[in-house]
Amino acid sequence: MDLITTTADLSALCDRLAKHRVITVDTEFLRETTYYPLLCVVQMASAEEAAVIDALAEGIDLRPFFELMANEKVLKVFHAARQDIEIVWHRAGIVPHPIFDTQVAAMALGYGDSIAYDQLVERVTGHRPDKTHRFTDWSRRPLTEDQMHYALADVTHLRDVFAALDADLKQRGRSDWVSEEMEVLTSPRTYDFHPERAWERLKTRVRKPKELAVLIEVAAWREQEAQSRDVPRGRILKDDVVGDIATHAPTSPERLANLRSLPKGFDRSKWGSDIVAAVQRGLARDPATLPKLERPRNNSNGAAIVELLKVLLRMTSERHAVASKVIATVDDLEQIAADDNADVGALHGWRRELFGEAALALKHGQLALAIEKGRVVKVERN
């Protein structure tokens, strides 16, 4: 087994891998106690070799690895690539490109929503990977032989999975479907989380512009605090607490103390003062500068339409062997129910052809759903 611990050996490895059209990549990292992921190990493989890189080795410069990630002539294959890409973005300010995500490809081929790597390997190759070291402490040194075997298996099995999925996509004419998803995964905006956009990550629903303004400011403060201290956001404030503050907008330590979601005495801390200041900044914002709040879509007719669209989505997913999550989300369905011209993925490109047109037809009574021999079918209406 090759364990790379020096910059010279890493550079030589990357030079060899750069000669291949396709390589497989995976990372091992820790994030339980930090805001930014701690990169511990990188493993890569070509058709000819596989190697483990000790990213914590003393004096090692990972620049050759980052340059390989940016090499446009080499396709980088990941499984569930988002966190791996986020690490490269944080460390080097680049997004790996071009890439292929086997989890996304599997969804486009009907393997289910967000299938786990070991399950996908078993279904495609028949081999059951050993996941004993999935939750091992990858920051401890020296790395054991078992850890290195585990790390290498992740990228060597990935070669076979990629080959099978890529061939299946081409045979079914779905390669473009996956390419569209890769454009989202390789967009810097996907990983560039500025504090002023932190509120977008929250599932908290606010109903008034005042609440939204406070939410934006408090979420931005939490993001900055988490980044500066390099701790998880939840160590600063839980998501539901941020929503609670946005709803009640406490403008003084005394009012902050009345929130049951905060621990006793929090109002007298520096963080308490910072939160009050963030609330006050939010209330002082010009409502005209705020993002537009979506109107609630909870009327009975809209809810009934969404339920019918869910049935159509499931039927479409099963008929074409595509994970429903890839075609449309519940939020997409809610927006389609409210607006024929909603700017959602389900009404663009191959998704519109596969599902969107039928969804609009069902919404306007030009299409009906019926049960025939125990199966839901579409019925055209004049």
Side-chain angles (χ1 to χ4, degrees):
M1 284 184 293
D2 287 332
L3 177 62
I4 306 297
T5 60
T6 69
T7 305
D9 286 345
L10 175 60
S11 182
L13 170 68
C14 291
D15 285 344
R16 295 194 300 273
L17 294 180
K19 297 175 182 177
H20 292 264
R21 183 183 66 84
V22 178
I23 64 171
T24 54
V25 189
D26 191 23
T27 65
E28 309 296 343
F29 57 90
L30 298 179
R31 199 174 194 168
E32 288 79 6
T33 61
T34 60
Y35 178 89
Y36 298 105
L38 172 64
L39 179 60
C40 302
V41 170
V42 177
Q43 53 265 48
M44 296 189 290
S46 68
E48 298 177 354
E49 67 176 315
V52 174
I53 300 124
D54 183 355
L56 298 180
E58 184 177 354
I60 194 168
D61 185 347
L62 296 178
R63 195 174 311 167
F65 165 67
F66 297 135
E67 290 174 351
L68 179 60
M69 293 298 97
N71 188 329
E72 291 289 337
K73 296 180 180 179
V74 180
L75 178 66
K76 278 73 68 173
V77 178
F78 297 85
H79 182 82
R82 188 177 291 263
Q83 291 193 87
D84 301 308
I85 294 174
E86 183 183 352
I87 290 172
V88 177
W89 171 258
H90 168 60
R91 292 286 298 269
I94 63 170
V95 175
H97 192 274
I99 71 164
F100 182 99
D101 189 325
T102 54
Q103 187 178 73
V104 174
M107 287 192 285
L109 292 169
Y111 285 84
D113 291 347
S114 305
I115 186 171
Y117 173 73
D118 54 334
Q119 295 173 348
L120 182 59
V121 170
E122 186 171 4
R123 289 181 61 179
V124 171
T125 70
H127 181 86
R128 181 176 297 178
D130 178 10
K131 303 304 289 184
T132 306
H133 294 280
R134 179 186 296 179
F135 301 111
T136 192
D137 183 354
W138 289 97
S139 67
R140 296 187 65 179
R141 293 297 180 272
L143 293 169
T144 67
E145 189 169 319
D146 285 344
Q147 283 178 309
M148 288 190 285
H149 273 298
Y150 168 91
L152 284 174
D154 274 355
V155 287
T156 52
H157 291 314
L158 196 55
R159 294 182 299 203
D160 298 328
V161 170
F162 164 72
L165 297 185
D166 186 48
D168 200 359
L169 287 169
K170 290 174 179 175
Q171 183 179 358
R172 298 198 209 181
R174 297 182 181 181
S175 296
D176 289 344
W177 297 10
V178 175
S179 296
E180 287 184 25
E181 295 302 304
M182 295 307 100
E183 290 304 311
V184 176
L185 271 175
T186 56
S187 169
R189 181 177 172 83
T190 303
Y191 308 96
D192 194 9
F193 294 122
H194 291 291
E196 59 268 23
R197 290 180 49 217
W199 69 276
E200 297 174 2
R201 301 172 62 95
L202 298 169
K203 295 182 179 179
T204 301
R205 296 239 178 195
V206 291
R207 296 173 176 80
K208 302 175 183 177
K210 178 186 75 172
E211 295 174 356
L212 176 59
V214 173
L215 181 71
I216 291 172
E217 291 293 338
V218 175
W221 168 81
R222 183 182 70 162
E223 199 77 6
Q224 290 171 327
E225 197 70 22
Q227 289 176 353
S228 65
R229 294 174 178 266
D230 194 19
V231 296
R233 299 176 186 90
R235 291 278 185 93
I236 307 297
L237 285 179
K238 300 292 185 184
D239 287 358
D240 58 342
V241 178
V242 177
D244 198 20
I245 294 169
T247 302
H248 291 89
T251 54
S252 68
E254 292 74 23
R255 292 184 177 180
L256 187 66
N258 291 331
L259 296 185
R260 294 183 179 180
S261 54
L262 288 172
K264 189 174 182 180
F266 189 93
D267 54 297
R268 297 190 296 273
S269 69
K270 180 184 181 300
W271 281 0
S273 300
D274 290 344
I275 290 172
V276 169
V279 171
Q280 292 171 342
R281 288 196 301 273
L283 295 176
R285 291 185 64 148
D286 180 357
T289 66
L290 298 174
K292 187 177 179 181
L293 280 171
E294 293 183 11
R295 295 180 180 178
R297 309 185 196 101
N298 57 0
N299 64 79
S300 57
N301 288 336
I305 293 171
V306 170
E307 291 305 312
L308 282 173
L309 292 176
K310 287 181 181 178
V311 175
L312 177 65
L313 176 60
R314 182 171 180 176
M315 184 189 76
T316 304
S317 169
E318 293 175 352
R319 177 182 176 186
H320 294 279
V322 185
S324 58
K325 182 179 177 181
V326 174
I327 302 172
T329 65
V330 173
D331 186 62
D332 288 346
L333 302 185
E334 291 176 349
Q335 292 194 53
I336 292 171
D339 182 3
D340 287 359
N341 299 308
D343 187 16
V344 296
L347 293 182
H348 294 288
W350 65 268
R351 292 177 178 83
R352 185 179 184 109
E353 182 179 343
L354 194 72
F355 170 77
E357 290 290 354
L360 293 175
L362 177 63
K363 174 183 172 181
H364 292 289
Q366 299 161 352
L367 182 73
L369 299 178
I371 298 176
E372 185 177 282
K373 297 181 180 179
R375 296 181 61 189
V376 178
V377 296
K378 294 185 290 187
V379 178
E380 301 288 342
R381 297 185 65 192
N382 294 327

